[in-house]
Amino acid sequence: MAPADDVPTPDDVRVTVTERSLPLRSPLGTATGEIDERPVFLVGLTGAFADGSPCRGIGEAAPLPPWTESVEDCRHALADARETVATGGAVALDDLPPAARHALSLASADARARRDGVTLSQALAAATADGGDPAESVRVNATVGDGSVAATVAAAESAVSEGFDCLKCKVGARPVDEDTERLRAVRDAVGDDVALRADANGAWGREEAERAVDALADVGLEYLEQPVPAADHEALRALRGRGVAIAVDETVNTPASTAEWPDPIEEYADVAVLKPMALGGPGETVAVARDLRDRGVDTVVTTTIDGAVARTAAVHVAAAVPGGDDRAHGLATGALLERDVVDDDPAPVDAGRITVPAGPGVAGDAFDGVQNR
Ligand SMILES: O=C(O)CCC(=O)C1=CC=C[C@@H](O)[C@@H]1C(=O)O
Ligand SMILES: [Mg+2]
């Protein structure tokens, strides 16, 4: 772990953890079931760095198996970390499960960036060799859940009317032929100028996936995300070059699987969809994104349908990745929530884009007091 991302262990830092339950406006239908509520843990760091400068940072864990550990395991990991710091010990990020690690890695990065008077994306870009300047805004896609043809088309048309020029549709919850009909109907409704993606969450077997890819070859998908189970690497390789670009999500999005990625990954995927919550933090994700881009695999950053703290941090991650505004990112998930951790989103969506908050840190003082709401 780069020193910049370790939890600061100044003399008198204090870790606070508060739990929130964030209901969705309506359940998000996916191939692996419906998501109707998101439990999140807000993690605050307060105190002073060893040089006496104030240490104040905020992080968030939004556990979502199978991308991360369970809510219970996250709760325990954060309680143990809080106790370790309270008794003067040091927390080793490497020892934490992904969502808990994300919360502490983010809180530490936020505290350091606020101390240094820079945005999180500036700190993330500077922390890697050829960082360059982060993007000032990022393009984002709308997320369209599973549903009937009519409901899918209506949701797509609504997103386009709000200014989105990229739509990601969840597939895999119904027979392949129905999903290809849904996607074809969306294409017919929105025209050719809107980018269209589909995400199967690993629901299809090899034969179904090949049938889907062949049926979708003329729909003009930007990519098909995780068509087959995470571990079926040979199926991924076999799907390449059939007219639809292939993206991986579950295959690459747990620290454990980083060591078990199919190698060379560029033979298995055109795009990697990266989830900072699953990869254990913003710094970790930017490092993975740079490695993948060096290997010819494009990257997109998405939330795990997080609260505003983690979602805003993911915006900074997308802005810090070189060429990060080439593709739309899956960061417009705040609109899916009935209730968030703050009333005013510091990184709202406007016509399919999100402007990176001016900082310092994740969003300046926008999240001050978030744990007391
Ligand atoms: O990528 C997006 O548009 C938003 C995030 C998103 O689709 C997901 C977040 C978390 C779990 C899944 O339901 C889904 C995904 O698989 O990418
Ligand atoms: Mg996905």
Side-chain angles (χ1 to χ4, degrees):
M1 275 303 304
D5 287 337
D6 286 336
V7 180
T9 51
D11 296 343
D12 63 350
V13 79
R14 193 163 60 90
V15 175
T16 50
V17 181
T18 45
E19 197 165 337
R20 294 280 184 279
S21 170
L22 307 181
L24 272 68
R25 293 177 190 281
S26 59
L28 176 70
T30 80
T32 51
E34 289 188 338
I35 300 174
D36 57 14
E37 179 260 349
R38 296 290 296 117
V40 302
F41 298 85
L42 295 168
V43 174
L45 280 186
T46 49
F49 287 98
D51 64 4
S53 55
C55 170
R56 188 174 63 181
I58 188 73
E60 177 187 320
L64 184 64
W67 286 272
T68 74
E69 72 276 25
S70 68
V71 174
E72 197 57 31
D73 288 351
C74 184
R75 185 179 292 117
H76 285 310
L78 291 173
D80 291 349
R82 180 183 52 210
E83 187 58 26
T84 299
V85 172
T87 51
V91 175
L93 289 177
D94 287 353
D95 296 343
L96 294 171
R101 174 175 176 156
H102 178 278
L104 284 158
S105 177
L106 171 54
S108 305
D110 180 41
R112 283 186 161 74
R114 293 179 79 166
R115 175 195 61 188
D116 301 341
V118 297
T119 67
L120 179 60
S121 51
Q122 288 167 336
L124 291 169
T128 47
D130 49 350
D133 291 331
E136 293 181 1
S137 73
V138 294
R139 187 167 153 240
V140 292
N141 62 265
T143 309
V144 177
D146 173 62
S148 67
V149 171
T152 305
V153 168
E157 289 174 330
S158 170
V160 171
S161 70
E162 291 168 19
F164 286 98
D165 64 1
C166 182
L167 310 174
K168 167 167 149 177
C169 296
K170 307 297 285 183
V171 296
R174 53 191 65 217
V176 168
D177 298 343
E178 280 189 44
D179 277 331
T180 53
E181 184 188 354
R182 291 172 64 225
L183 293 166
R184 195 175 299 285
V186 168
R187 175 57 74 208
D188 292 345
V190 303
D192 294 338
D193 294 339
V194 174
L196 192 49
R197 300 165 174 176
D199 182 359
N201 288 108
W204 293 329
R206 294 191 182 196
E207 186 278 328
E208 278 180 306
E210 289 174 0
R211 190 147 51 87
V213 164
D214 295 342
L216 293 169
D218 66 345
V219 174
L221 285 188
E222 180 187 350
Y223 57 67
L224 176 57
E225 185 177 332
Q226 204 65 56
V228 293
D232 196 347
H233 303 161
E234 284 315 310
L236 289 169
R237 190 206 293 266
L239 289 170
R240 306 284 305 290
R242 296 173 78 122
V244 176
I246 300 300
V248 285
D249 173 351
E250 289 85 337
T251 295
V252 294
N253 270 306
T254 56
S257 74
T258 306
E260 297 155 15
W261 283 4
D263 192 29
I265 181 78
E266 58 273 19
E267 289 184 12
Y268 298 86
D270 299 287
V271 181
V273 173
L274 301 181
K275 290 180 163 53
M277 195 62 63
L279 293 172
E284 294 82 342
T285 305
V286 168
V288 165
R290 289 192 173 285
D291 172 41
L292 285 162
R293 283 175 174 256
D294 289 347
R295 299 167 71 172
V297 180
D298 227 358
T299 57
V300 161
V301 178
T302 90
T303 73
T304 23
I305 310 178
D306 312 319
V309 174
R311 186 174 68 246
T312 305
V315 169
H316 285 275
V317 171
V321 172
D325 55 5
D326 289 347
R327 292 184 188 266
H329 300 272
L331 304 171
T333 55
L336 299 175
L337 299 175
E338 179 66 42
R339 183 173 66 241
D340 205 336
V341 294
V342 288
D343 294 333
D344 299 321
D345 187 345
V349 179
D350 177 23
R353 294 193 74 86
I354 293 178
T355 298
V356 181
V362 178
D365 57 9
F367 293 125
D368 288 359
V370 68
Q371 291 184 284
N372 307 321
R373 292 181 80 252

